[in-house]
Amino acid sequence: MSSKNFFDEKIKEIAIQKNIIDLGGGGGFNKQLTKYQSLFKNNYKTVDIDPKTKPDVIGDIQNLPFLDGTVGGVICISVLEHVEDPAKAINEIYRILESGGRALIYVPFLFPYHAKTGFYKDFFRFSRDAVEHLFRRFKNIEVVPTRQFFETWLLMLPKIGPKLAPLGRLFDKLALSKGNQVSGFMIYAVK
C-alpha cells in the first residue's frame, strides 16, 4: 500500500475518534490535513508549544497537559524529529491515549535538515528499527515507508530536489524500488 493510500485510510479511522489531538498542529489542519477537515466533527484540537501559531492548547509534547487515557486519537506529523527527547514524547502519547486509542504519526529517515532558526531545532531521524523500538508498548503498529530510493535521494539535492522528486517517483515505479533507503515512515499505532 502506498503511503498516500495508507494516510487516507488511517486518517479516516482517526477522525471518528471522540477526542483527537493534533500535536504540533499550530492553528489547525496544517501540513497535509487541510483536505481532510470535513471528516472531523468538533472532536479536533491542536496542541503546540508556540503560542504564535494559535493552537487550541499551548503545551509541550514531552509533557502533555492531559489526563491519562483521555484521548481517542493523536495526529503527530513531522514533529518528533524536532523534540529533544522523542522517546518521552511517544510515552506521553501512549499515556494520554485511551485503551484502543489510535495515533497517526510521520517521522523522517533520510530527509534534509530543516530547523527554523528561532522557532525549532532539528535533532533526529528514525530508521524502521528505531520506530519499532520506540512504539513497542503499543499493542499494534503499522509502519509504511514514504518515498522510495530515487525520490528520496533526489529530494536531498539542495534547492532543485523538490522539483526533481516527481522524476525520482517515476524511476521508483519503473524500478519497483522496495528497500531501506526511504525518506520517512507513516506510523499507525493502537494502544
Side-chain angles (χ1 to χ4, degrees), residues 70-89:
T70 57
V71 173
V74 167
I75 301 166
C76 183
I77 308 296
S78 300
V79 175
L80 293 174
E81 70 269 26
H82 300 296
V83 300
E84 290 96 0
D85 191 345
K88 186 174 182 183

Side-chain angles (χ1 to χ4, degrees), residues 19 21-23 45-49 55-71 92-93 95-96:
N19 186 15
I21 304 300
D22 182 357
L23 299 171
K45 289 193 182 336
T46 59
V47 176
D48 206 293
I49 198 165
D56 296 307
V57 177
I58 297 169
D60 183 347
I61 191 173
Q62 299 168 107
N63 188 22
L64 291 167
F66 301 102
L67 297 175
D68 296 0
T70 57
V71 173
E92 278 293 279
I93 291 169
R95 179 187 66 77
I96 67 169

Side-chain angles (χ1 to χ4, degrees), residues 73-138:
V74 167
I75 301 166
C76 183
I77 308 296
S78 300
V79 175
L80 293 174
E81 70 269 26
H82 300 296
V83 300
E84 290 96 0
D85 191 345
K88 186 174 182 183
I90 292 164
N91 285 334
E92 278 293 279
I93 291 169
Y94 185 87
R95 179 187 66 77
I96 67 169
L97 279 172
E98 62 190 23
S99 180
R102 295 142 198 277
L104 183 58
I105 297 165
Y106 169 78
V107 294
F109 177 42
L110 298 174
F111 199 82
Y113 178 81
H114 59 281
K116 288 195 178 176
T117 305
F119 189 60
Y120 54 76
K121 296 182 180 182
D122 190 1
F123 294 106
F124 296 99
R125 297 296 180 268
F126 303 86
S127 67
R128 180 182 287 273
D129 294 333
V131 167
E132 290 171 355
H133 175 75
L134 289 166
F135 288 87
R136 69 191 178 278
R137 290 178 62 196
F138 288 82

